[in-house]
Every structure is written in C-alpha cells, then in structure tokens.
Amino acid sequence: MPAARAPRALDAVVIGAGPNGLAAAVALAGAGLQVRVIEARATVGGGARTAELTGPGYRHDVCSAIHPTAVLSPFFRTLPLAEHGVDWIYPEAALAHPLPDGRAGVLYRDIDRMAETLGEEDAASWRGLFSPLLALDGALLRELLGPLRIPPRHPLLLARFGLSAIRSADGLARDAFRGDAARALLGGCAAHAFLPLEALFSASFGLVLALAAHAAGWPLVRTGSQALVDALAAILRTRGGEIETGRAVTSLDELPEARAYLFDTTPAAMARIAGDRLPAGYRRRLERFRHGPGVFKVDYALDGPIPWAAPAAARAATVHVGGTLDEVAASERALTGDAPAERPFCLVAQQSLFDETRAPAGKHTAWVYCHVPPGCEVDMTARIEAQMERFAPGFRDLVRARAVHGPAAFERYNENYVGGDIAGGANDWIQIFARPVASLNPYATPNPALYLCSSSTPPGGGVHGMCGYHAAAAALARVFQRPAPALAAPAPRPQLPPPG
C-alpha cells in the first residue's frame, strides 16, 4: 500500500472568506502559492451571502445586492466566473429615483437616453459632466479601483475628475443641474458614501457610481450574490487552494505556519489577532481607525411587485427612495447626530422583477435599507415603510413577511460591520486617502508577513475584490518576489437591452 502523501507546506493563510479575502487567495494561488482561507462562519461570503430570510423560496441578499464595481473589477474580469455559475442580469436602467410629484429620474447606461427623464437642458449638462470622464475606455474607473498612485497613469483625466470630486455633492448637484430629477439622481448616488451631502469629497462617490452605471450598468447576479463568492471559492479550489469554515481566529498562534498572513478583517481585529507581532505604535494607529454610520435593513416577502407611483421605477433593479435633493441631504445630515432621520433615504433593490429565482411564482422580494447613526437602536421599520408607501401606495398591503436587521444584528452577523458600518470605515476626506493608515502601501504592515486585505483598505467598500488583489500583490512582491497575476484591460461595455 503506498505511503500517504504529506500535506504541502502553506505559503499563505487568509483570515476571512469575504469577497476580498477570497480574491486575495485566488490571486496568491494564481501565482503558484499554496493558500488556505479560514472563515469563522459556516459558509463563505462575508458581505455577499444569500439566504431565505423570510420563508422558503424567498432568496434575499443579506448585504450586498447590486454589483456595478464587480463587473468593472480588473481582477474579477480575469477570472472564469461564468464557468462557475455567475450569470449577470442587466436591467434596462441602472437606477431610478422617484420624486414626490410622481415623476422619476432614471439613470440609463446609455448616456444619450438621459434626456428622457432629465429634460434636454439637464441631459446636456449631465453629458458634459460625465462624457469626458468616460474617455480612454474607462481608464479613470480603473485608476480609482486601486491605491493612490504617484504619479497617476492618467494625470489629466484624474485632475478633471478631481475638480468635481473634491466638492460637496450638494454643491455640485445644484451648480450643475436645474431640475429636481438630475439633482436627486446625483445626490442619491453620493449618499452611498454615508456622508452628509454638504461634506467635501461627497461628490466623488456620486460621480463614481454614475460613471459605473454608464460604463457597465448596475447588474445583479442570478440566484443571488452568493453565486459570485461561491464562484470565487470554486476557482480557488481549482488552483489548489483550501478553505476551512466554522473556525474563528483569535490569535496568530492558532494558525498553521506560513510565510504570509492576509487579514480580511477590520484594522482593530488585525491588531488584536496579530498582537505583539506588530509594533505597539502601529497597533495603536490601527485601533484609531474610525468606522462610519450603520444601516437598518428590512427584507420583504411580497404578494406582488412594488406598486410604484412612477412607472419608470420598474425599469431598474435599484431604486433610491428619498425624494428631492433637499430631502436626501436632510436624511444624510442626521447621521452626524444622535437620532436618525424621520424620513430616511432608503436604498431599494427589487431583484425578483428581473430574476425569477428570487421568489415563488407570482411572489416578489424587496431589499430595503436606510442609513442610521453608528450603533443606533431605533427601530426604523415604520419609517422605512412610510417612505415606501409615499412613493409606492399600497406597498404595505403586499407584505407577507419581514426580516429586520439593525446595526447590532449586522455586527453580530459579521464582526467587520462595527456599529452596523457595512462600508469598511468612515469615508471622510482623511480616510479616503489614509485607509487604514497614511501609507504609500496601505496593505502592508511593519511586519513583512502581515497584510490587511479588507474594505478598510483602498479602494474601499463594494464587491470588487480589488482590496484583496492589491494586498496579495504587495505580499507577492515583498515576501515571494513574484509578480501578481495580470489585470484585465479596460472592459468593453456590455450590450444594452432594447428600450421598453
């Protein structure tokens, strides 16, 4: 009988199997290294899991649901995701934003369709703002999906973006547009930053998300976001990587010996787990990393589609429910206080309109959350439903079941969501550039064996895997003297569906 083969020694261990942890592991394995991922929960996924939260047959994305940065990700685009079950669905429109008078602003991937809901004057202004930033086959978005590079590859394009990005979203929207629809569209995109819209740099988030819509759309994954992380896990296994689930890590001493350790965790968790393997001063810097506001989320099982007063809202899987720019700004301004907004800005995903696998025949789902101050304990269900009823009269009558998760529940679900912060940290102007600390290599630490690969590093939140890729690239260069796997060239725009 042949002797049992001894297990290969590990080159790297990744702590956490969210999209960034899995991306880091796939990149390392793609460079020929032996990698093991260790995940505390029973399944991989982090912020991209899917579960039957409200009843059998109702498939809800627990956290991330719509993925503009995933389809643009220069790393994900190198991977055979489709071969492992990822089927992207592109709604006719990327985003709809209902207004109190029954109209809706609609963000189409085709920038020439913007006049349909913005009017000719604001559509021309929208084109003037965004068309130059879409030049060079999406080079700007590629530049923004990585750490700050000095000098940048495209300095003039980045400078043009910076002139608008540095501004407040409120100021840019009011100066650039005259109508409520265009102002609300840009303000709603900017509100994804969890910042007051009067804050400097808040415009940058609105610009990037709108650019992503024009470059590739805001798609969803058929069957749920879990399919994307399951594909990453499958690709890792085909490259010889290992995944161990159901194991929480409290100390590096518990882990197998390896040459590099990558942390898909918060900076504070990395400091705690690494202990004295990091200098005390650096640990203190990690512990000072600031987290942002939280979220309050309700998943719904519905007896029918959401009955929007504005029919155009049914053209998009993502709907921003918050009214005018003034109303959205008031809601986000409340994040700096102790009490959440009475009329919260709500982010809505209606995946079942476009993906029949999400609900039983004839039924639907809705994915709705609003922003709240960190650790907020206020039950926002009634306020969310009042906003939904305001823009979709009869919504409450369709509700069969609810699953409610406030900030504390999200932190219990995922330790990285401190105080309900799903964005990986506060997005103020300091932490946009110094994430998690001020460094030209923000993924590396003073210990050459330890790296941070979570969304607390550039480019921040979103399911794109680029935090993991760049951390893996840093480890490959510093520890293994190997090049990182090549990134994809700028993405061709997916074919647009016909109007209607």
Side-chain angles (χ1 to χ4, degrees):
M1 185 173 181
R5 181 179 296 176
R8 289 175 60 188
L10 290 174
D11 294 304
V13 171
V14 179
I15 302 164
N20 282 310
L22 290 171
V26 168
L28 293 167
L33 303 185
Q34 185 64 21
V35 185
R36 181 180 300 169
V37 179
I38 299 178
E39 166 60 38
R41 291 179 62 86
T43 60
V44 302
R49 293 188 178 96
T50 305
E52 293 182 330
L53 299 177
T54 59
Y58 292 92
R59 295 179 57 81
H60 302 274
D61 292 324
V62 182
C63 299
S64 182
I66 307 296
H67 302 290
T69 56
V71 291
L72 288 167
S73 168
F75 181 56
F76 283 176
R77 290 185 51 253
T78 68
L79 305 178
L81 296 174
E83 295 175 18
H84 294 277
V86 175
D87 180 13
W88 293 109
I89 297 173
Y90 291 88
E92 177 188 351
L95 167 70
H97 191 122
L99 295 167
D101 61 6
R103 295 177 298 130
V106 181
L107 177 51
Y108 291 107
R109 283 160 38 214
D110 182 352
I111 203 167
D112 292 328
R113 287 192 68 186
M114 296 301 293
E116 291 181 18
T117 56
L118 302 189
E120 292 294 341
E121 183 177 3
D122 273 350
S125 298
W126 188 279
R127 191 180 302 109
L129 179 60
F130 288 103
S131 289
L133 302 179
L134 290 165
L136 303 178
D137 293 322
L140 175 63
L141 286 166
R142 185 181 172 93
E143 191 89 22
L144 296 174
L145 284 171
L148 182 65
R149 184 184 297 273
I150 301 176
R153 290 191 184 96
H154 303 282
L156 296 180
L157 187 60
L158 197 62
R160 181 162 192 153
F161 169 76
L163 289 174
S164 295
I166 196 173
R167 300 189 60 186
S168 74
D170 186 81
L172 179 61
R174 293 184 192 282
D175 287 349
F177 309 114
R178 300 188 62 176
D180 284 348
R183 289 177 173 180
L185 273 179
L186 184 60
C189 289
H192 283 248
F194 293 83
L195 288 173
L197 299 193
E198 299 84 3
L200 288 178
F201 288 98
S202 59
S204 65
F205 293 85
L207 292 171
V208 169
L209 284 175
L211 282 169
H214 292 307
W218 288 13
L220 59 149
V221 185
R222 190 177 302 279
T223 75
S225 297
Q226 186 76 48
L228 177 57
V229 289
D230 286 349
L232 292 173
I235 292 168
L236 174 61
R237 291 187 176 104
T238 65
R239 295 182 176 185
E242 306 168 0
I243 300 174
E244 181 180 353
T245 59
R247 180 180 177 187
V249 176
T250 60
S251 169
L252 276 180
D253 295 335
E254 305 167 4
L255 298 179
E257 185 174 349
R259 295 174 65 188
Y261 298 87
L262 287 81
F263 291 73
D264 188 6
T265 69
T266 66
M270 181 188 195
R272 183 178 68 251
I273 293 168
D276 60 10
R277 299 202 199 185
L278 287 173
Y282 185 79
R283 292 202 309 271
R284 286 193 294 272
R285 293 173 71 192
L286 293 178
E287 290 163 353
R288 287 196 296 267
F289 183 81
R290 289 169 290 102
H291 286 273
V295 300
F296 188 100
K297 180 168 177 275
V298 187
D299 288 282
Y300 292 94
L302 302 175
D303 279 331
I306 300 173
W308 300 109
R315 298 175 190 168
T318 306
V319 183
H320 287 165
V321 175
T324 64
L325 175 64
D326 285 340
E327 292 179 284
V328 175
S331 173
E332 299 308 285
R333 200 178 302 125
L335 299 179
T336 61
D338 297 326
E342 288 295 327
R343 280 187 163 184
F345 170 68
C346 300
L347 297 94
V348 180
Q350 46 187 4
Q351 299 97 316
S352 60
L353 276 185
F354 305 92
D355 179 3
E356 71 284 356
T357 71
R358 301 300 186 100
K363 306 300 179 183
H364 284 273
T365 60
W367 173 104
V368 187
Y369 77 84
C370 68
H371 301 160
V372 294
C376 177
E377 297 180 355
V378 176
D379 185 339
M380 297 294 288
T381 306
R383 301 186 198 186
I384 286 174
E385 292 183 6
Q387 285 286 70
M388 292 299 294
E389 193 72 22
R390 181 180 167 211
F391 293 95
F395 173 80
R396 288 195 187 97
D397 296 336
L398 296 174
V399 176
R400 294 175 60 87
R402 301 171 180 83
V404 178
H405 293 84
F410 269 115
E411 187 169 354
R412 288 192 298 271
Y413 170 78
N414 187 334
E415 185 181 341
N416 285 5
Y417 295 159
V418 176
D421 171 15
I422 63 172
N427 285 317
D428 57 60
W429 71 271
I430 295 175
Q431 285 192 174
I432 290 175
F433 299 105
R435 190 178 184 93
V437 299
S439 172
L440 290 178
N441 188 349
Y443 315 95
T445 74
N447 184 330
L450 306 184
Y451 299 82
L452 188 65
C453 67
S454 71
S455 58
S456 297
T457 63
V463 178
H464 43 63
M466 294 307 297
C467 307
Y469 171 84
H470 289 298
L476 284 167
R478 191 179 184 192
V479 179
F480 302 99
Q481 289 77 53
R482 300 190 190 188
L487 294 175
R493 297 180 65 182
Q495 184 177 356
L496 296 168

